[in-house]
Amino acid sequence: MKLWTANLDLENRTMNVVKRDGRSVRFDEDKIFQALKKASDKISPWSEAQQERIESVTDRVISEIFNRFHENVKIYEIQNIVEHELLEAEEIALAEEYVSYRTKRDFERKKATDINFTIEKLIQRDSTVVNENANKDSNVFNTQRDLTAGAVSKAIGLKMLPPHVANAHQKGDIHYHDLDYSPFTTMSNCCLIDFKNMFEKGFKLGNAQVDSPKSIQTATAQASQIIANVASSQYGGCSFDRADEVLAPYAKLNYAKHKRDADKWIETPEKREEYAKEKTAKDIYDAMQSLEYEINTLFTSNGQTPFVTVGFGLGTDWYAREIQKAMLKVRIKGLGSEHRTAIFPKLIFTLKRGLNLEVGTPNYDIKQLALECSTKRMYPDILSYDKIVELTGSFKASMGCRSFLQGWKDAQGNEVTAGRNNLGVVTVNLPRIALESRDSNGKAQFDKFWAIFNERISIAKDALLFRVERVKEAQPKNAPILFMNGALGRLKEQDSVDELYKNERATVSLGYIGLYEVATTFFGPIWENNPEAKAFTIEIVKRMHEDCEEWSKATGYHFSVYSTPSESLTDRFCRMDKEKFGSIPDITEKDYYTNSFHYDIRKNPTPFEKLDFEKDYPVYANGGFIHYCEYPMIQQNPKALEAVWDYAYDRIGYLGTNAPIDHCYACGFEGDFAPTEKGFKCPQCGNADPKTCDVVKRTCGYLGNPQARPMVHGRHSEISHRVKHMNGLVGSLANGQNIDSVLVDEKKSEYFVER
């Protein structure tokens, strides 16, 4: 119903709009109509008469633009014409509302780069600032100092970014992650630390030259110091991959020592062996317990516990097996006299066919221990060995919570995983694109969606290229632990850090959020079983993947699609879009956007159905992904969880367990705490004191303790809406029952019972 085209021959006319940031974009007349409609909605309810008035004004505005300008028109010139035509039409109230909105937007843009304003928000303890990271305790001095520095860095960083990138970030079209660190500094994101290299060759830390460890206890002590220093030299998570295999040689040194002692004092060979192994097993357990406590008591320079992930499960010798068992037993036991759940390190256990997946395989007993641990502590998450190789090109744990490196070989043809990193993330607000693609009748248009999509992806590309160029300006001496002492490499002071980034050695990530909301805009809220809707969402991720492949070939840096964790972004994007588009059922009304490709968390498919739905997305989003299933209390039924793990093995690469493990020390309740406006409380006695209750929820890729360290409103709302995946589950799987009969039909659901 474009009345404004009636009096002009626009078929062969083109017009470009010069934005404030200098970009030139294709003129879209519908944006004028939508801006006027939004202003009108603030005055009175929408009606047919109002639509005719708005269309009439829009018609005159378009005519004036095309009469006065030929190829290019500046954005402020369009705004001036709109205001003039509103006054000419005696639409005084509408003109006032339109001018008020434009003034407010200009003011908001200025505030975003105003250091005084950002510091004021911090002083006022604005929840969008102090609760942005659920791992930071904003009450302590070192975190407050980091938040203050971050506020300044963000304001300066926005001025450093290309104008169109900064503008897109401020408006909420994209999100330039970790602005409190980058681009103000040349820091990079997450990494896989090369512990093997550092242990074997030694390293320098502070004033000390550290030699190769001579025991398992020394190795884990060194590991905790390495983690603290790496976490202070970057802003993302860090991972200790294949920890059991890397630490095993140092446990073997303990065994050799105990064997020498036994040879002196014990007569029979059998008793010597028994003594040495018993002492070594105790050493291993103590070392793993020390590592757990050291990580949870560490504070990095930015005032938070290091985001640490430990991958394990592939070791087969006695030492590696004992390390695996000790990690799990320590986690099951919990921290302190109250046995609280440890938030860090995140544990990832690898399943592998022929090793531990099936009954009768060498490490099947450890899988059983991992299942027990996961039902009681939510960790470990699991990796499916063969699927990770298929999706990413080689096997490795994630960097941090979900970022994956692609397979990569050095000049000698050796497969390299550890000692590599990610250079940063930029996320595109997909739900906004969908909402902006609606016509004057509110119906989303596919052609318009793809046009806006391509524009936003282009901006994201420029943002990512800027990230790459900025991190290359770092010097090895800026972070010796990373660049000179083996965590990423062993460069000399005069070398370029680009040696560790170029030739696709490092990754840089194009993130996305809200595929559920995108499809809901086009197909309605119940679309998961609609093949056309799902194909559309897969096409979005596929096109992002194709763009990344093209950028990689052109630049020599590995761009990949990343399913953004969105801890605070699920709040920020939705909050900004709610302000821009209003409260829209199943989209902005919820106060959160759904993470990446995840099934709508308010629905309750079976775990099988959820995994079958989600498995197609990481094929393209292979630079970062994770799946979750929500369970009831399953501590007495680990076979139920094993059924899901086994079903997942050939379908997805990475799976997390979400189960109720909250504990009230006042009344003894154990299970799922009830959500309140800002936190959680014991459903039995109402206790909400973090000193006497332990509340553990899956924040995003990592666990969090929201009662002790609150999270942003959108994430809290999302957690509160999560539904257990129990619908349609019939019958039960008795504890200890063989699961083979359960999985005769892959879709069969006869295994769950809430106990």
Side-chain angles (χ1 to χ4, degrees):
M1 197 192 302
K2 295 183 180 179
L3 299 181
W4 48 86
T5 64
N7 300 323
L8 282 171
D9 177 17
L10 302 183
E11 289 293 325
N12 300 311
R13 294 285 304 274
T14 61
M15 183 74 70
N16 292 321
V17 179
V18 180
K19 309 276 279 186
R20 286 181 180 81
D21 54 35
R23 283 181 306 134
S24 179
V25 299
R26 185 71 178 267
F27 177 73
D28 182 357
E29 63 269 19
D30 191 53
K31 286 187 176 181
I32 296 172
F33 176 85
Q34 294 298 338
L36 291 173
K37 180 181 182 298
K38 185 173 182 179
S40 178
D41 288 341
K42 293 286 185 72
I43 301 170
S44 59
W46 188 246
S47 65
E48 188 174 328
Q50 275 184 300
Q51 179 163 333
E52 290 179 1
R53 286 163 47 215
I54 298 300
E55 287 178 343
S56 177
V57 173
T58 304
D59 184 27
R60 292 197 295 274
V61 170
I62 302 302
S63 297
E64 183 68 15
I65 289 171
F66 275 82
N67 283 329
R68 287 177 53 186
F69 301 94
H70 299 288
E71 295 180 357
N72 298 294
V73 58
K74 294 181 179 179
I75 190 72
Y76 69 83
E77 292 170 325
I78 294 177
Q79 291 164 3
N80 289 339
I81 292 173
V82 171
E83 293 168 17
H84 175 77
E85 293 297 337
L86 286 170
L87 293 174
E88 284 287 311
E90 297 186 354
E91 295 283 358
I92 307 302
L94 189 57
E96 288 177 346
E97 186 60 44
Y98 178 82
V99 172
S100 174
Y101 173 74
R102 295 310 321 164
T103 303
K104 182 181 176 182
R105 283 290 299 122
D106 291 341
F107 182 60
E108 290 293 333
R109 262 191 293 269
K110 180 172 175 54
K111 283 197 301 186
T113 56
D114 187 329
I115 295 176
N116 292 328
F117 175 73
T118 53
I119 295 296
E120 183 180 338
K121 288 179 72 176
L122 184 59
I123 293 172
Q124 293 174 349
R125 296 192 63 77
D126 186 310
S127 63
T128 63
V129 177
V130 298
N131 295 337
E132 186 179 36
N133 185 332
N135 189 38
K136 288 186 177 183
D137 184 353
S138 60
N139 294 306
V140 299
F141 287 146
N142 50 356
T143 304
Q144 291 173 357
R145 182 180 62 180
D146 179 69
L147 290 171
T148 304
V152 175
S153 296
K154 283 183 179 180
I156 297 174
L158 279 169
K159 294 179 179 180
M160 295 174 65
L161 291 174
H164 66 292
V165 171
N167 184 42
H169 172 87
Q170 290 171 255
K171 291 192 325 186
D173 293 343
I174 67 168
H175 186 77
Y176 193 96
H177 287 261
D178 303 292
L179 258 173
D180 44 350
Y181 298 103
S182 169
F184 181 69
T185 73
T186 55
M187 283 185 177
S188 54
N189 194 18
C190 47
C191 72
L192 281 179
I193 301 172
D194 194 347
F195 284 97
K196 185 174 186 294
N197 178 286
M198 297 183 78
F199 287 159
E200 290 178 353
K201 297 184 179 180
F203 55 94
K204 188 175 181 181
L205 202 58
N207 297 322
Q209 178 63 43
V210 181
D211 295 328
S212 184
K214 300 299 188 290
S215 68
I216 184 70
Q217 297 97 322
T218 305
T220 55
Q222 288 185 12
S224 66
Q225 291 301 311
I226 291 169
I227 288 166
N229 278 268
V230 167
S232 296
S233 299
Q234 59 174 40
Y235 55 78
C238 55
S239 295
F240 187 169
D241 192 20
R242 296 180 180 259
D244 51 332
E245 297 167 275
V246 172
L247 291 171
Y250 305 101
K252 193 172 184 179
L253 296 178
N254 288 64
Y255 172 82
K257 175 183 177 298
H258 294 311
K259 186 66 167 56
R260 288 193 298 270
D261 292 341
D263 289 342
K264 289 181 182 178
W265 305 106
I266 301 175
E267 292 184 2
T268 62
E270 294 80 9
K271 291 288 185 181
R272 294 174 196 161
E273 179 77 8
E274 182 182 341
Y275 171 85
K277 282 197 169 183
E278 184 179 312
K279 295 287 285 184
T280 304
K282 179 66 165 57
D283 289 346
I284 289 172
Y285 182 88
D286 290 346
M288 294 303 108
Q289 187 175 55
S290 294
L291 183 62
E292 184 109 317
Y293 273 86
E294 286 170 4
I295 288 174
N296 280 281
T297 55
L298 283 174
F299 268 108
T300 64
S301 61
N302 58 12
Q304 65 181 2
T305 306
F307 280 85
V308 187
T309 295
V310 175
F312 64 106
L314 294 175
T316 55
D317 65 21
W318 181 84
Y319 306 98
R321 281 176 45 81
E322 285 298 310
I323 290 169
Q324 293 178 43
K325 289 189 284 186
M327 285 182 185
L328 295 167
K329 288 176 180 177
V330 166
R331 182 56 57 89
I332 290 171
K333 183 178 180 181
L335 295 173
S337 59
E338 293 180 330
H339 308 291
R340 295 198 176 214
T341 297
I343 301 301
F344 291 104
K346 173 185 171 81
L347 300 180
I348 302 182
F349 182 72
T350 300
L351 295 176
K352 187 177 183 183
R353 182 170 283 116
L355 173 65
N356 55 22
L357 183 66
E358 310 94 338
V359 175
T361 49
N363 284 4
Y364 183 73
D365 59 324
I366 302 180
K367 179 191 179 188
Q368 300 308 299
L369 191 59
L371 285 161
E372 179 189 350
C373 188
S374 196
T375 65
K376 294 177 177 178
R377 303 296 184 186
M378 281 204 271
Y379 287 154
D381 293 345
I382 60 162
L383 293 178
S384 303
Y385 183 94
D386 294 308
K387 200 66 181 179
I388 289 295
V389 173
E390 178 186 327
L391 291 171
T392 70
S394 65
F395 181 80
K396 80 290 292 181
S398 61
M399 297 183 288
C401 75
R402 72 183 63 197
S403 180
F404 278 98
L405 294 159
Q406 85 288 6
W408 188 83
K409 294 181 180 180
D410 62 18
Q412 289 71 45
N414 302 310
E415 187 73 49
V416 178
T417 54
R420 295 169 58 199
N421 69 333
N422 178 269
L423 304 182
V425 184
V426 173
T427 293
V428 178
N429 185 348
L430 293 178
R432 173 173 288 193
I433 299 175
L435 293 173
E436 288 180 336
S437 71
R438 297 176 301 174
D439 61 19
S440 57
N441 295 315
K443 184 174 176 57
Q445 305 293 314
F446 287 104
D447 56 347
K448 190 169 184 180
F449 174 88
W450 289 118
I452 302 171
F453 174 86
N454 290 333
E455 178 195 337
R456 299 286 157 77
I457 292 295
S458 176
I459 297 172
K461 175 189 176 183
D462 291 344
L464 290 170
L465 289 172
F466 183 84
R467 292 206 92 120
V468 172
E469 293 305 314
R470 181 63 178 143
V471 296
K472 284 162 56 178
E473 294 177 22
Q475 299 178 42
K477 64 183 178 182
N478 295 145
I481 189 74
L482 294 178
F483 304 124
M484 302 173 70
N485 285 292
L488 298 182
R490 293 188 180 270
L491 301 175
K492 294 182 174 58
E493 192 171 309
Q494 67 273 17
D495 290 340
S496 169
V497 298
D498 195 30
E499 294 299 315
L500 303 176
Y501 301 158
K502 66 182 183 180
N503 300 322
E504 301 194 51
R505 188 180 193 273
T507 62
V508 59
S509 301
L510 174 63
Y512 66 100
I513 184 174
L515 285 179
Y516 168 77
E517 286 77 16
V518 171
T520 296
T521 306
F522 282 87
F523 299 95
I526 314 294
W527 60 266
E528 286 87 354
N529 293 319
N530 179 339
E532 183 185 358
K534 185 174 181 184
F536 174 53
T537 59
I538 290 175
E539 181 65 19
I540 292 170
V541 184
K542 182 181 178 183
R543 291 200 188 188
M544 295 174 75
H545 178 77
E546 291 169 347
D547 286 333
C548 284
E549 285 189 323
E550 182 181 317
W551 304 342
S552 299
K553 290 176 183 177
T555 65
Y557 296 93
H558 187 81
F559 293 83
S560 58
V561 182
Y562 178 75
S563 303
T564 306
S566 309
E567 178 186 335
S568 60
L569 195 56
T570 192
D571 175 279
R572 178 179 184 255
F573 274 169
C574 186
R575 174 165 35 85
M576 297 177 80
D577 287 353
K578 191 172 187 177
E579 184 178 319
K580 182 179 177 69
F581 302 104
S583 183
I584 304 171
D586 298 299
I587 301 177
T588 60
E589 184 183 56
K590 312 186 308 301
D591 288 340
Y592 66 86
Y593 281 159
T594 306
N595 268 32
S596 58
F597 55 74
H598 292 168
Y599 205 110
D600 179 13
I601 51 94
R602 301 168 300 170
K603 300 187 179 81
N604 53 355
T606 68
F608 298 147
E609 291 166 337
K610 184 177 192 292
L611 298 180
D612 279 338
F613 172 81
E614 293 180 354
K615 65 181 173 59
D616 302 311
Y617 296 96
V619 173
Y620 303 109
N622 58 1
F625 54 88
I626 188 172
H627 309 257
Y628 311 111
C629 289
E630 299 281 337
Y631 306 97
M633 289 280 287
I634 51 174
Q635 295 182 16
Q636 303 305 315
N637 195 6
K639 286 294 179 183
L641 182 59
E642 184 172 22
V644 181
W645 284 13
D646 289 354
Y647 185 82
Y649 186 79
D650 290 314
R651 291 167 176 80
I652 64 166
Y654 190 12
L655 178 62
T657 298
N658 291 356
I661 60 170
D662 304 332
H663 190 92
C664 178
Y665 297 100
C667 72
F669 173 84
E670 189 168 6
D672 222 348
F673 270 36
T676 63
E677 184 179 349
K678 292 186 177 180
F680 297 86
K681 67 178 181 180
C682 174
Q684 188 163 281
C685 71
N687 179 30
D689 185 352
K691 295 177 182 176
T692 55
C693 64
D694 189 23
V695 181
V696 179
K697 305 294 182 186
R698 175 86 63 165
T699 305
C700 45
Y702 288 109
L703 302 185
N705 192 323
Q707 210 61 12
R709 297 179 181 180
M711 57 191 69
V712 293
H713 169 71
R715 177 55 68 193
H716 178 71
S717 180
E718 188 267 345
I719 290 175
S720 301
H721 278 85
R722 293 177 187 173
V723 173
K724 304 292 184 284
H725 299 133
M726 297 291 290
N727 186 42
L729 298 177
V730 294
S732 67
L733 178 67
N735 191 26
Q737 179 181 336
N738 191 303
I739 65 171
D740 292 341
S741 61
V742 175
L743 296 175
V744 170
D745 178 353
E746 291 179 336
K747 292 286 185 149
K748 197 171 182 181
S749 306
E750 299 174 357
Y751 64 91
F752 260 109
V753 59
E754 186 165 3
R755 300 178 185 273

